[in-house]
Amino acid sequence: MRQSVNGAAERRSRGIGRRGLLGGGLGAGLAVGLGGPAVAAPGAAPSDAEIHRRFNPRSWRSVRDQFRLSRDYLQFSAFVLASHPAGVRLSIDEHRRRLDVDPYAYGAFRNDMDRSKGIRERLGAYLNVPAGEIALTDSTTMGLGVIYTGLDLSPGDEVLTLDRGFFGTDEALRVRALSTGITVRKFALFDQPENATAEMMVDRMRAAVTPRTRLLAVDWIQSSTGVKLPIRMMADALAVINETRDEADRVLLSVDGVQGVGVEDIDLAALGADFFISGLHKWMLGPRGTGFVWAPAANWARVHPIIPSFSEASILSWFYGKPWPGPPGDWNSPGGFHSFEHRWAVPAILDFHEAIGKDRVAARTLSQAARLKYGLSRIPGVTVKTPADPAVSSALTCCAVDGYTSEQVVGRLKEEFRIETTASEYQESFVRIGPSIVTTPDEVDQLVRAVHQISRT
Ligand SMILES: Cc1ncc(COP(=O)(O)O)c(C=O)c1O
């Protein structure tokens, strides 16, 4: 069947209007019922509905009980890819069930548009930015592609990035350089991560910027070292540089924030990033396959959507053959049908975090991280590679043990002490530890004792 322009003309001549085109799904406001028996049979494992019903957000034990994470190991790498709390599992199950019954009616355009709008509103409230400026993605990496492929850059423009940054940023920029002839230059914010300070990082950034620099692409918290970049100070220093530049020549600051979302008590409006890119399936513990990009509207105006969105504005523009106004976050949300049961369960993870309190999540996580860094720092032969100063460190903690590779330490922690950690997969690999709301201060102490034993034998 001939599609596109002919299809649109045909529908116009048959008088199919906006509702007809977009109204093929169910309306907004469909409450997700939490299916399944509320109480398990005696002796049976509790159902998700029962686990969810028992949730007491004031109790950290109850928070941990919301997860089916194995108790065979202490879970210090749970942030790598989320395990879902019961509320998210229930929401996913309910959407999946309804999609399986009638995917067209339940999954068609209108339902997704309404739900996506609701998700952007919830995320906007959580992040403290306008909902219309949030694009929905399937991952951080997809968001990096949205910005680094779509941003208006010209041959000869320079992009700066970091020598220990996430490989997805490097790859997105490498490919962009091939297609557009931009220059990508890496530089170091510090020599040894453990000695990094905010002032040093800002000074090095200032020295790296040249008249041709248009973009600085960084991670908020580096997964290679655990160093947290002083984004606000960097943004302020760039603002001084940008004062003497034309609007089009400004240096934009783009931040991959995935290692901080769900850890830090985040306020995006105050952070200072020009673009902020994250997944929701690491520390946030949200549905696997979900993420977002935020930018102020003026910065979105410099980005071309790289994948057609299935937004109302984009479909109506196509239908009526003229640009249809719509929020930039909508335009820049890559379209196509998604694994909707996961995307539409995002509100359930926001419910979870809001019930506990964003500030309490941050305090619980960061206090364990401080305890961990202190404990490790007292072990002879162990170097904590992540600085102790909370201004430049977060939850993710890296260390090295004399005489061992990081893989050896991670292997021994798992086999001998039943503790799950990871080795950072970078040129220089460190043991990477993630205390979080599914670990406890006692478990942190166990981990420190285990590292101590390993360092002695
Ligand atoms: C800094 C950073 N960004 C992005 C990613 C990938 O995130 P996603 O799976 O959401 O693409 C990772 C780790 O997997 C990471 O450490």
Side-chain angles (χ1 to χ4, degrees):
M1 187 184 124
R2 296 255 305 279
Q3 259 299 344
S4 68
V5 176
N6 287 349
E10 194 187 317
R11 278 190 295 280
R12 256 195 303 272
S13 70
R14 288 196 315 239
I16 301 173
R18 179 166 173 261
R19 290 276 352 144
L21 185 67
L22 301 173
L26 302 178
L30 264 178
V32 174
L34 300 179
V39 181
S47 67
D48 283 342
E50 173 62 11
I51 294 171
H52 186 56
R53 197 187 59 72
R54 290 180 194 164
F55 178 38
N56 171 7
R58 305 300 303 174
S59 152
W60 292 114
R61 183 188 291 260
S62 174
V63 167
R64 174 64 179 85
D65 287 346
Q66 293 300 300
F67 294 85
R68 292 201 184 273
L69 273 169
S70 164
R71 296 193 190 256
D72 294 344
Y73 298 94
L74 302 187
Q75 297 284 351
F76 282 93
S77 60
F79 67 92
V80 173
L81 182 61
S83 167
H84 303 147
V88 173
R89 297 198 297 276
L90 284 167
S91 181
I92 291 172
D93 287 352
E94 178 66 8
H95 289 307
R96 180 183 295 122
R97 191 183 62 73
R98 295 175 80 158
L99 284 166
D100 283 340
V101 170
D102 192 344
Y104 173 66
Y106 193 57
F109 287 112
R110 173 54 63 187
N111 194 16
D112 181 47
M113 283 176 193
D114 291 339
R115 287 186 185 280
S116 292
K117 186 164 180 280
I119 292 166
R120 295 198 338 255
E121 278 162 8
R122 291 290 309 273
L123 269 176
Y126 177 84
L127 300 165
N128 189 28
V129 291
E133 295 177 344
I134 296 174
L136 299 180
T137 64
D138 295 350
S139 65
T140 321
T141 305
M142 182 187 273
L144 297 172
V146 164
I147 299 304
Y148 300 143
T149 310
L151 184 63
D152 204 2
L153 291 170
S154 307
D157 286 350
E158 179 185 68
V159 177
L160 290 178
T161 189
L162 301 179
D163 65 339
R164 300 178 198 241
F166 175 57
F167 104 98
T169 296
D170 291 354
E171 268 305 281
L173 291 172
R174 186 183 66 82
V175 172
R176 180 66 196 269
L178 291 177
S179 68
T180 316
I182 57 168
T183 308
V184 180
R185 188 161 57 83
K186 288 191 179 187
F187 73 105
L189 281 177
F190 46 79
D191 297 325
Q192 290 305 323
E194 62 269 36
N195 300 329
T197 64
E199 291 70 24
M200 171 197 297
M201 290 192 262
V202 173
D203 284 349
R204 289 205 179 182
M205 178 203 74
R206 250 195 232 105
V209 170
T210 72
R212 288 170 47 222
T213 309
R214 298 287 174 271
L215 177 70
L216 173 58
V218 301
D219 303 324
W220 186 10
I221 291 135
Q222 290 193 314
S223 45
S224 52
T225 63
V227 172
K228 177 167 87 175
L229 272 57
I231 300 297
R232 180 72 260 172
M233 285 173 66
M234 291 167 75
D236 292 344
L238 287 178
V240 174
I241 293 172
N242 285 334
E243 260 171 24
T244 55
R245 296 188 176 207
D246 291 342
E247 180 59 27
D249 296 341
R250 275 172 58 219
V251 186
L252 297 168
L253 177 59
S254 178
V255 178
D256 170 345
V258 72
Q259 299 293 354
V261 176
V263 177
E264 302 280 333
D265 191 356
I266 192 167
D267 177 351
L268 267 194
L271 191 69
D274 290 305
F275 297 100
F276 188 91
I277 301 152
S278 182
L280 292 167
H281 52 195
K282 289 188 182 289
W283 300 89
M284 195 66 190
L285 305 165
R288 291 179 285 268
T290 58
F292 69 91
V293 180
W294 168 77
N299 294 342
W300 273 126
R302 302 176 64 159
V303 177
H304 308 284
I306 58 163
I307 295 178
S309 81
F310 274 22
S311 67
E312 184 160 356
S314 124
I315 291 171
L316 291 174
S317 301
W318 165 76
F319 186 73
Y320 290 112
K322 60 178 182 192
W324 198 274
D330 224 3
W331 275 104
N332 287 283
S333 298
F337 291 143
H338 298 274
S339 38
F340 287 135
E341 58 270 61
H342 281 231
R343 176 165 290 189
W344 295 345
V346 166
I349 196 60
L350 296 171
D351 290 343
F352 180 75
H353 280 268
E354 283 164 11
I356 301 170
K358 212 164 53 161
D359 52 341
R360 287 184 65 238
V361 169
R364 172 77 171 176
T365 309
L366 295 173
S367 63
Q368 288 181 77
R371 187 182 186 103
L372 173 65
K373 285 173 201 137
Y374 177 74
L376 292 173
S377 73
R378 297 176 54 84
I379 305 173
V382 171
T383 309
V384 187
K385 302 302 288 187
T386 307
D389 180 357
V392 287
S393 75
S394 182
L396 196 142
T397 300
C398 292
C399 72
V401 181
D402 286 353
Y404 291 96
T405 66
S406 55
E407 285 79 10
Q408 286 170 329
V409 177
V410 168
R412 286 192 63 184
L413 282 171
K414 180 151 191 171
E415 278 149 37
E416 295 171 33
F417 300 94
R418 309 196 75 73
I419 299 175
E420 185 99 80
T421 57
T422 59
S424 58
E425 287 156 352
Y426 286 83
Q427 302 286 349
E428 198 182 2
S429 176
F430 302 126
V431 181
R432 203 169 48 171
I433 308 165
S436 70
I437 57 171
V438 300
T439 60
T440 67
D442 279 353
E443 292 177 358
V444 167
D445 294 346
Q446 279 185 59
L447 170 54
V448 170
R449 283 196 296 275
V451 174
H452 195 184
Q453 280 199 38
I454 292 171
S455 73
R456 287 192 307 196
T457 50

